Amino acid sequence: MKQFSTVLAAGLVTLTAASAAMAEDAALEKKSIAIAVGGSISQMNKVGYAIALARKYFEQEGLTVDSTAFASGTAGLQSLVAGGADVAEGAYEHTLRMQAKGVNLTCLVAYGRYPANVLVVRKSMTDKIKTVADLKGKKIGISAPGSSTQNFVAGLMERAGVSWKEASYVSIGTGPSAVAAMKTGGELDALVNLDPAINALVDGGDAVVLSDSRTEEGTKAAFGGDYLADCLFAKTEFYKANPNTSQAIVNAMVHAMQWLKTASIDDIIKSLPPAYYKSDEKLYRESLEKNISAFQWDGFITPEASKNVLDSIAVLEPALRQTKIDFSITYDNKLIETALKKYHSPVSQ
């Protein structure tokens, strides 16, 4: 009996030591991280990220996050590349574009599977613009040159057999400025934007939807298959040097996406800061209803989706077609796999 007790005690000491070693191995290399956000966090394409922040999922993983919103995805990217942030929130396409420029970025976690860009036509122009091909010679509002909104409409035009260069483009930003641009002056014939701006224009009777990537059906119609939208990405060197911190970031986002699988619109509204929706809660609710399916998934990235993103941005940047992109550098599904072992919902996608 004494011998058994001695063996048991020795085993417990070994187990305790092993547990301590594992805890030490899993220690965060960096507990405080700065995230540069590409645009307003209240936009529909950032719901997953907003939920992770609001419900303090990053804190639950031992992280302190300094989240700073920049005017655009490009500005957020520039902050990351310049060393002003550890991680950036923005479109997956940046990982492809920057690799072609010699800067390796890795998408730690993607949380948007539909781009959510919507092409609308001014109500008074619907008799002249019935198909995408009819955009030839027209003025189209986009958020900014080279943006995902311009990529979206340019790709649609090319697939419709019309060069995207045969239309003219006007930078109008997103949100209220986009709504104002369509409502006043009559300068624009069509516009590409995100919710809640799109819902505001359609509900107000100012515009009619021509192409919609807020759903799986609309995304596949626009891009020919799966796609990737917003994600959290970092310099590949940061990811490799901070594997535990990177995993913690992914854990927080996967936690948010798993929560969103079963959350009601009321649940989401209650979780977010009132400033996101107080100006027009009805409009915000409608926007959530039309966009929420983009975030109700497990986050796995497929080669097909990555390739479709490259094909999309190559319309405006044809040189990318000649660049050999190593897609394996741009994402790592192992992080998602590990996170799902910790936060898994049995609810189907």
Side-chain angles (χ1 to χ4, degrees):
M1 185 69 177
K2 182 177 180 181
Q3 183 180 8
F4 174 75
S5 298
T6 301
V7 172
L8 178 61
L12 288 173
V13 170
T14 301
L15 181 61
T16 301
S19 297
M22 287 178 65
E24 184 177 350
D25 288 342
L28 302 181
E29 301 86 3
K30 191 167 187 177
K31 295 183 178 180
S32 296
I33 59 171
I35 299 180
V37 181
S40 172
I41 300 177
S42 63
Q43 289 179 186
M44 285 297 113
N45 58 324
K46 306 183 194 309
V47 169
Y49 177 66
I51 285 295
L53 282 178
R55 295 183 65 83
K56 301 187 182 302
Y57 290 156
F58 289 106
E59 285 88 338
Q60 290 180 29
E61 299 297 327
L63 295 167
T64 298
V65 174
D66 177 12
S67 181
T68 303
F70 286 77
S72 66
T74 300
L77 171 66
Q78 290 172 343
S79 176
L80 174 71
V81 174
D86 303 299
V87 177
E89 185 285 332
Y92 168 79
E93 65 190 51
H94 291 308
T95 67
L96 307 175
R97 187 178 287 113
M98 293 307 295
Q99 187 180 127
K101 296 179 179 179
V103 179
N104 287 330
L105 302 176
T106 299
C107 168
L108 303 179
V109 55
Y111 46 88
R113 55 180 171 174
Y114 310 141
N117 288 310
V118 183
L119 169 63
V120 295
V121 175
R122 179 183 291 280
K123 190 70 172 289
S124 61
M125 291 293 292
T126 54
D127 60 329
K128 297 179 181 178
I129 305 176
K130 298 180 180 180
T131 69
V132 172
D134 295 330
L135 291 172
K136 179 179 179 180
K138 302 298 189 296
K139 289 185 178 180
I140 305 171
I142 57 172
S143 59
S147 64
S148 62
T149 55
Q150 187 175 23
N151 280 326
F152 179 66
V153 68
L156 288 173
M157 291 182 69
E158 292 289 330
R159 282 186 286 278
V162 179
S163 171
W164 67 273
K165 296 180 180 180
E166 294 190 62
S168 58
Y169 302 89
V170 182
S171 298
I172 57 170
T174 59
S177 62
V179 175
M182 184 64 97
K183 282 180 172 290
T184 61
E187 177 184 359
L188 299 177
D189 301 307
L191 169 150
V192 182
N193 227 265
L194 304 163
D195 279 329
I198 292 298
N199 279 330
L201 289 169
V202 174
D203 291 351
D206 299 289
V208 174
V209 174
L210 189 59
S211 183
D212 188 343
S213 68
R214 291 174 294 190
T215 65
E216 179 180 9
E217 181 181 4
T219 295
K220 289 186 175 181
F223 298 98
D226 293 338
Y227 202 79
L228 293 168
D230 279 54
C231 70
L232 291 184
F233 56 86
K235 289 182 180 178
T236 304
E237 60 194 64
F238 174 90
Y239 164 47
K240 291 183 176 180
N242 301 276
N244 296 330
T245 296
S246 297
Q247 185 64 64
I249 292 170
V250 176
N251 288 349
M253 288 306 308
V254 167
H255 193 175
M257 287 191 288
Q258 292 297 303
W259 181 82
L260 283 167
K261 280 188 175 183
T262 58
S264 66
I265 297 300
D266 282 338
D267 291 334
I268 298 171
I269 290 285
K270 291 175 183 176
S271 295
L272 296 174
Y276 287 14
Y277 56 82
K278 66 180 181 180
S279 62
D280 193 334
E281 185 172 335
K282 180 181 178 182
L283 177 63
Y284 195 84
R285 283 177 175 274
E286 181 184 356
S287 297
L288 277 174
E289 290 170 355
K290 292 185 176 181
N291 288 269
I292 193 60
S293 62
F295 308 99
Q296 294 176 323
W297 69 316
D298 288 332
F300 287 109
I301 297 175
T302 65
E304 179 194 11
S306 301
K307 180 64 164 52
N308 284 338
V309 174
L310 179 62
D311 289 343
S312 172
I313 63 177
V315 173
L316 296 182
E317 303 171 64
L320 286 172
R321 300 186 192 280
Q322 310 305 320
T323 304
K324 184 174 178 57
I325 298 293
D326 185 350
F327 290 99
S328 68
I329 294 176
T330 67
Y331 67 91
D332 188 348
N333 279 330
K334 291 179 182 178
L335 295 172
I336 300 289
E337 293 172 357
T338 299
L340 283 171
K341 292 177 182 178
K342 185 173 184 178
Y343 300 109
H344 177 68
S345 169
V347 178
S348 61
Q349 296 183 50

